[in-house]
Amino acid sequence: MENENNSSRRKFILNSAAIVLAQPLVFNLPAFAKTKRKKLRHACIGVGGMGGHDLSRFNAHPDVEIVAICDIDENHLAKAAEILPNAKKFTDWRELFAQEAENFDSVNVSVPDHNHFPIAYTAINNGKHVYCQKPMCHDVSEIRELTKAATKAGIISQLGTQHASGKGDRTAVQWIKEGHIGKIKQVYLCSNRPGATEAYRFVGPRPEHGEAAPEHVHWDQFIGTAPMRSYAPKIYHPAKWRAWQDFGTGWSGDIGCHILDAVWKGMGLKAPVSVVAKVQESWKNSPERNTDTWPQSNHITWVFPGNEMTAENELKVEWYDGEFYPPEEVRALFSLENYPAESAMLIGTEGALLIPHTKMPVLLPEEKFKQVKNPVLEDRDHYHYFAESCLDNVKTESDFSISGPMSETVILGTVAIREPDTLLEWDAERMRIKNIKKANQHLSRKYRKGWTV
């Protein structure tokens, strides 16, 4: 339980979060904050793209000192060093731990999915608190192991579902728990973001011949746990790695944790009992593509055991992206023309709840629920809440004990994608697919020599 001083410090930081910029600012601190307080010594692993954003948010916290930065791209590292000239610089995270483990308390892991586990697991084994970008790991088995390791070590953890700390998602969680729409009959998730297919989901296959990586890119470190392949410009690094099975987890793996989060927490969901996926025919019928890239469109259906919040003894949760959209009758409950491209819709016995990604939720029909007021919630910054939790030793919004099983469910969907049109019966306790033995090969990977932990 938080003591009074910890609670006051937390409230001060959270209320300040909305006005803090990426660069450190000078604060007129209240009396309690002028006392000497231990700094959270932090290391940023991955400082380009989303990693750059993560760095800026941690750097904005007045009680966080970023003492080390690491990235396989020296250009990204140089840009980060302009902001943090005194931070130690590394291009290999293994050297960071070998040389500096005694000099930092926490890390954020903001690198391609396939390298999340070895970095986060090494951090946990060194007693470090871990903020890890979503999805938690590339494979189901990695997520299970990392969740167990974090719990056993007693470290503070946070999944990078930053909008889980926002008022929109937190309001949705509260409204679900309050039962405004009755018992839940079905849930529809979608991510049909305009332009995402063209920008991030390559048709493939990979080029027949690669080329030497630029001098500023440490390609062996980028490949990490994955099988070695030649560098090729504009299709792997930076940011394009999500399209490839060796590195990323596809669109559902990337965005699924965001869209499912409020539903998972609000309904208190546990592991599903089955999952099945449909994909577009062109990907399914191309061995060159379906063994190398992820599909450009997915429709995934999980079946969960019912609980006190469901209308039946089972709950169906469906995911749509690319060319697959939620049914018209579901979208029409809000608006066919203006249905949010990324959202969750819960259908209940007494109404429906739409949760647009990054925005406030809407109870439907709106006329019926016009008397329901938004709860009064304090502002909360996901990154700062993690820092405060590390300093005050309290759980975060998306502690691995909660976000691990959810992330595991999302990544189980990527297993189904690779066995399309096939119902997979899931035994969560034994972590195996009961009815399709060959599908179990997708639950884990064999790491490249030299990269096991």
Side-chain angles (χ1 to χ4, degrees):
M1 182 176 295
E2 295 179 70
N3 62 37
E4 186 176 349
N5 287 338
N6 284 347
S7 179
S8 297
R9 287 197 300 265
R10 178 184 292 276
K11 188 172 182 180
F12 164 71
I13 295 299
L14 296 178
N15 289 340
S16 301
I19 61 170
V20 181
L21 299 176
Q23 297 291 337
L25 299 178
V26 176
F27 288 83
N28 293 317
L29 298 178
F32 70 79
K34 292 180 181 178
T35 60
K36 287 186 178 180
R37 185 190 184 191
K38 180 183 177 182
K39 290 271 189 178
L40 182 70
R41 302 170 304 167
H42 187 77
C44 295
I45 303 178
V47 297
M50 192 65 194
H53 173 78
D54 294 352
L55 179 150
S56 72
R57 296 309 308 141
F58 284 118
N59 194 41
H61 192 296
D63 286 327
V64 172
E65 180 184 3
I66 298 176
V67 297
I69 53 178
C70 180
D71 201 288
I72 62 94
D73 190 320
E74 293 186 23
N75 288 348
H76 292 166
L77 205 58
K79 185 176 180 181
E82 291 176 3
I83 301 171
L84 299 162
N86 295 324
K88 299 284 185 67
K89 298 185 289 294
F90 296 87
T91 58
D92 190 327
W93 61 267
R94 298 169 299 181
E95 294 179 3
L96 165 65
F97 281 103
Q99 297 178 29
E100 293 293 317
E102 294 182 357
N103 298 321
F104 61 91
D105 311 302
S106 60
V107 302
N108 66 282
V109 182
S110 305
V111 302
D113 300 348
H114 69 295
N115 285 325
H116 282 193
F117 177 80
I119 299 173
Y121 190 74
T122 299
I124 290 170
N125 282 346
N126 278 274
K128 311 305 178 186
H129 306 304
V130 176
Y131 182 104
C132 186
Q133 270 301 337
K134 46 75 202 162
M136 186 182 295
C137 301
H138 187 278
D139 305 317
V140 170
S141 63
E142 293 176 322
I143 298 170
R144 180 71 61 90
E145 189 63 31
L146 197 63
T147 302
K148 288 165 53 180
T151 301
K152 182 178 179 181
I155 57 97
I156 303 302
S157 58
Q158 177 94 305
L159 188 66
T161 46
Q162 63 270 21
H163 301 291
S165 288
K167 288 185 178 180
D169 273 21
R170 288 159 58 212
T171 295
V173 170
Q174 184 165 325
W175 279 354
I176 294 169
K177 290 181 176 180
E178 289 173 351
H180 294 292
I181 63 172
K183 300 292 186 180
I184 310 302
K185 298 190 292 185
Q186 191 156 346
V187 178
Y188 299 89
L189 315 172
C190 70
S191 179
N192 303 105
R193 187 187 304 180
T197 299
E198 296 77 14
Y200 295 103
R201 287 181 265 186
F202 299 140
V203 173
R206 74 181 77 177
E208 288 187 16
H209 304 287
E211 59 185 66
E215 288 188 6
H216 65 273
V217 174
H218 294 253
W219 189 240
D220 186 67
Q221 277 88 297
F222 174 92
I223 294 293
T225 63
M228 177 53 74
R229 67 169 69 185
S230 298
Y231 172 85
K234 298 181 180 180
I235 65 169
Y236 302 133
H237 172 77
K240 306 301 185 182
W241 48 266
R242 297 187 186 280
W244 306 92
Q245 290 181 28
D246 282 346
F247 307 140
T249 51
W251 197 250
S252 62
D254 180 24
I255 307 298
C257 291
H258 282 311
I259 309 300
L260 180 58
D261 191 85
V263 177
W264 184 273
K265 292 173 180 172
M267 294 193 66
L269 294 179
K270 304 299 181 184
V273 296
S274 69
V275 61
V276 63
K278 294 182 179 180
V279 300
Q280 85 261 30
E281 292 296 314
S282 58
W283 181 88
K284 184 173 66 174
N285 296 326
S286 171
E288 292 177 331
R289 292 173 60 188
N290 63 40
T291 57
D292 202 14
T293 63
W294 292 104
Q296 295 174 300
S297 302
N298 306 283
H299 174 200
I300 305 168
T301 302
W302 298 269
V303 173
F304 292 86
N307 60 24
E308 68 278 1
M309 306 196 71
T310 62
E312 305 291 341
N313 60 5
E314 289 186 334
L315 175 73
K316 187 181 291 185
V317 176
E318 299 187 59
W319 164 275
Y320 302 83
D321 71 46
E323 66 187 30
F324 296 109
Y325 289 81
E328 281 195 9
E329 61 269 23
V330 172
R331 288 179 281 142
L333 292 173
F334 179 72
S335 167
L336 282 175
E337 296 78 19
N338 299 309
Y339 194 80
E342 295 183 303
S343 55
M345 175 75 90
L346 294 83
I347 309 299
T349 55
E350 306 299 327
L353 174 63
L354 176 67
I355 313 172
H357 186 41
T358 77
K359 296 180 174 61
M360 293 299 291
V362 182
L363 288 162
L364 301 167
E366 292 185 71
E367 182 66 23
K368 178 178 179 179
F369 296 104
K370 63 182 181 180
Q371 300 302 321
V372 178
K373 304 299 182 183
N374 291 345
V376 178
L377 301 171
E378 80 280 6
D379 290 328
R380 184 177 294 174
D381 182 289
H382 205 60
Y383 302 90
H384 292 193
Y385 198 72
F386 169 76
E388 285 294 301
S389 296
C390 293
L391 290 165
D392 295 340
N393 195 32
V394 296
K395 272 192 174 184
T396 62
E397 189 74 44
S398 296
D399 181 86
F400 286 0
S401 64
I402 300 169
S403 58
M406 181 195 70
S407 195
E408 191 175 300
T409 297
V410 170
I411 297 306
L412 188 62
T414 70
V415 175
I417 286 171
R418 285 173 282 186
E419 299 289 343
D421 305 320
T422 304
L423 181 71
L424 305 180
E425 297 175 1
W426 179 236
D427 184 339
E429 184 177 355
R430 293 177 175 81
M431 203 177 70
R432 67 183 181 90
I433 294 161
K434 297 186 291 186
N435 61 325
I436 308 294
K437 186 176 181 180
K438 68 171 184 173
N440 287 292
Q441 67 181 312
H442 305 308
L443 299 175
S444 61
R445 293 175 292 136
K446 183 178 180 181
Y447 287 2
R448 188 163 63 104
K449 186 177 180 180
W451 289 87
T452 56
V453 294

